Amino acid sequence: MEQQQQKRYVLGKREEDGRYPVTVDGALTGTVHRRHGSWYAAIPGHRILERFSDRHEAAEHIVKWFEQGARPTVPAPGDRPATGLDMRTAGTGLLATRTYQHLVPDLVPTLPNLVRAVEAMARLAQLGWEPLEGYPGADQPWRMKCRLCGWTGRRFWSHLRGRNGDNTPRPLTRHRGCIPVSEMAAKLTTLAAERRRECTCAFPHPTHVTPMLEVLNKIGKALHDGAMLSATIHARAILEPCPASTMRAAALRLAHDQRARARRTVGQKIT
């Protein structure tokens, strides 16, 4: 049976976003990708939540779904990534959009993940990067634009953020073909002038702990109730681009930790 299924699917080469296209009976059907040691399968328009031990087991699962009649949702021309498939509807994340303002579909929308996403995007602004899609997690390739020279491509956040608590930018490893290292500091200083301590956007984004707590409570309740559209709407306040992203990220971390301590205290009193 395994040999028959292996003959029915073909694994393509790894794409820029870390996914492997899977062709079943000659038709491009889905993709498989690795995250945190496990493999996942995805068919646009269908939710596949199982984990697999390797890429072939994940691909075989796509064959099973194909046999049951699952076919990929075809995106509009011009919206297709390198695989020719639109994976934005295949996962478990917040409501998919065409901007990077929300988590990518296959990153589970928990409050800790939201906090990490906000902190990562704020740090990218400091380092002269512009994310072009939702935060995928630290160990997944993230499509972004270098604001020093205009290059676009995928980088790993785990590589950009530094190691062992060291947040020092490493301009020598930005990417090939960037501006000379001797010019980077001046360019980053110019970009830093764009940042603000308070939000100046038409849609207000909280930069202080108290209003941030209100937003977190609304998002938390929406996620608990399974109201993903409401969660997405409230998440605008923390995920949309903002010149005060650094202050917002700091307030979010403090609010999240304060909220977590309060919930633990209530739990201890109950028990």
Side-chain angles (χ1 to χ4, degrees):
M1 181 64 177
E2 180 179 355
Q3 291 180 348
Q4 293 176 353
Q5 287 188 351
Q6 286 181 347
K7 292 180 181 179
R8 293 190 60 185
Y9 75 82
V10 175
L11 275 175
K13 293 183 179 180
R14 183 180 183 274
E15 299 286 358
E16 186 183 30
D17 62 359
R19 296 177 183 269
Y20 296 79
V22 178
T23 300
V24 180
D25 293 347
L28 187 57
T29 303
T31 64
V32 298
H33 64 280
R34 189 173 186 268
R35 181 185 293 276
H36 301 307
S38 296
W39 283 85
Y40 298 84
I43 298 178
H46 303 275
R47 294 168 64 88
I48 302 177
L49 304 181
E50 291 88 345
R51 298 183 180 185
F52 306 97
S53 60
D54 58 46
R55 70 190 70 178
H56 296 287
E57 183 180 343
E60 289 166 4
H61 196 76
I62 288 181
V63 174
K64 293 179 181 178
W65 275 64
F66 185 88
E67 291 173 342
Q68 296 170 7
R71 297 295 185 273
T73 300
V74 179
D79 279 347
R80 295 171 182 160
T83 59
L85 294 174
D86 188 343
M87 306 312 301
R88 288 174 296 192
T89 59
T92 59
L94 295 180
L95 183 68
T97 71
R98 284 184 170 81
T99 70
Y100 71 82
Q101 297 158 5
H102 303 286
L103 298 178
V104 293
D106 54 359
L107 188 65
V108 179
T110 62
L111 288 183
N113 276 344
L114 285 169
V115 173
R116 295 186 191 102
V118 173
E119 291 179 330
M121 288 190 288
R123 184 59 177 154
L124 284 188
Q126 296 173 355
L127 300 177
W129 293 98
E130 177 185 346
L132 300 178
E133 62 186 8
Y135 172 71
D139 61 348
Q140 297 297 309
W142 191 0
R143 188 166 177 266
M144 58 184 69
K145 175 182 179 179
C146 175
R147 296 200 61 201
L148 304 191
C149 70
W151 174 90
T152 61
R154 294 186 182 274
R155 308 293 287 170
F156 288 89
W157 171 236
S158 59
H159 297 168
L160 296 176
R161 69 183 179 184
R163 298 282 181 167
N164 301 321
D166 177 11
N167 290 323
T168 303
R170 290 167 172 77
L172 286 174
T173 59
R174 288 185 69 92
H175 63 85
R176 292 183 179 179
C178 196
I179 64 175
V181 175
S182 60
E183 300 176 12
M184 290 181 179
K187 183 70 172 180
L188 288 171
T189 299
T190 300
L191 294 177
E194 300 176 359
R195 298 199 295 274
R196 300 289 183 268
R197 295 187 61 83
E198 297 292 341
C199 172
T200 57
C201 304
F203 181 91
H205 306 114
T207 56
H208 299 281
V209 174
T210 299
M212 186 64 78
L213 272 171
E214 296 178 4
V215 171
L216 280 182
N217 287 332
K218 291 177 181 178
I219 296 174
K221 184 179 185 306
L223 292 176
H224 179 268
D225 295 341
M228 300 308 294
L229 180 57
S230 294
T232 300
I233 293 172
H234 294 309
R236 286 185 59 192
I238 61 175
L239 290 174
E240 284 184 338
C242 177
S245 60
T246 298
M247 302 303 296
R248 179 177 60 180
L252 176 60
R253 172 56 67 181
L254 290 173
H256 178 265
D257 293 347
Q258 182 175 322
R259 184 176 185 271
R261 287 195 298 270
R263 292 170 66 86
R264 285 197 298 268
T265 300
V266 170
Q268 292 172 356
K269 289 181 179 179
I270 294 176
T271 57

